[in-house]
Amino acid sequence: MAEITAALVKDLRERTGAGMMDCKKALAETNGDVEAAIDWLRKKGLSKAAKKADRVAADGLVGVASAARGNGMAAAAVEVNAETDFVARNELFQAAVTEITALGIDADNVDALRQAKTKSGETVEDSLTSLIAKIGENMSLRRVSALSVENGVVASYVHNAAADGLGKIGVLVALESTGDKAVLAELGRKIAMHVAAGSPAVALAVDVDELSADVIEREKAVFADQARQSGKPEAIIEKMVEGRLRKFYEEVVLLKQVFVFDPDLTVEGAIAAAAKDAGAPIKLTGFVRMVLGEGVEKKEEDFAAEVAALGKS
């Protein structure tokens, strides 16, 4: 068998744009014949997929999935990106995201999820590569977040749903309780919808204690500077800062927010009211709000400019 040198792998990578491990495997399968390895990669669709890897994938789908675990539950939210909304409506892509999301329940991080095995026996990473070749758009598994409770429920909600458990915004809410599961599920879904709405603001933490000291100090400094412009004494300024800080908490701390389903209650108050119906205390232990394409810089295509440029060439 021919020796697969680093130089051979490098040459094949430069000629096809395929990944290093794929190139190494192709050369091993073809006994070091570069031309045959190129054909091998083309047949597998890997060369085609690699050429699309530099294209921005900021569309796609967010998926949510859950599973019962004894008296509790586990759930995951996963974002899989594609280049266009058209692919998000593709049944093959939707089926892939559904399967990947289910695997995400037991994945510790996105790298572990990429290496998880699908029903076909391929890794998630390899299955996406194959799908790129079939559909013709760049795709990527961007992130995964999971929540679990030993007793209680992890409720979910998908906004702008494209299919069951798939959409543009995915939310998970974990409620720890030994109370009535139906009451917990209903409350969890409403809180998840509240989180999705981001009303009155997107929550940064479950409770005040979870806010970072840096965030609090920064807000205090801004509020103090604003208050000093009033010319009032420092003792009054201190009280003004405390008041504005409470208002800040009401905006960004989930439990302190006004509940979107009942403006007379905070989320904390809604949980306390539901606990009476559930027959046991309820604790909100965590939440996930995953928005498709959040933070991804999407290239804006200027087709008019492209046509004009072609006319000058």
Side-chain angles (χ1 to χ4, degrees), residues 220-236:
K220 277 184 178 179
V222 170
F223 295 151
D225 285 344
Q226 290 173 342
R228 286 192 183 95
Q229 292 175 20
S230 67
K232 290 183 169 50
E234 283 296 317
I236 300 297

Side-chain angles (χ1 to χ4, degrees), residues 211-276:
L211 282 175
S212 75
D214 289 343
V215 167
I216 295 173
E217 289 306 314
R218 185 170 67 247
E219 294 302 318
K220 277 184 178 179
V222 170
F223 295 151
D225 285 344
Q226 290 173 342
R228 286 192 183 95
Q229 292 175 20
S230 67
K232 290 183 169 50
E234 283 296 317
I236 300 297
I237 289 172
E238 188 175 334
K239 291 187 187 304
M240 291 172 68
V241 169
E242 287 175 3
R244 291 181 184 182
L245 203 56
R246 280 196 299 273
K247 183 67 176 174
F248 172 69
Y249 293 153
E250 289 169 6
E251 290 181 349
V252 303
V253 174
L254 181 54
L255 289 176
K256 304 299 182 186
Q257 288 183 340
V258 174
F259 194 35
V260 71
F261 287 94
D262 187 343
D264 292 330
L265 290 174
T266 60
V267 172
E268 191 172 34
I271 291 172
K276 295 176 183 177

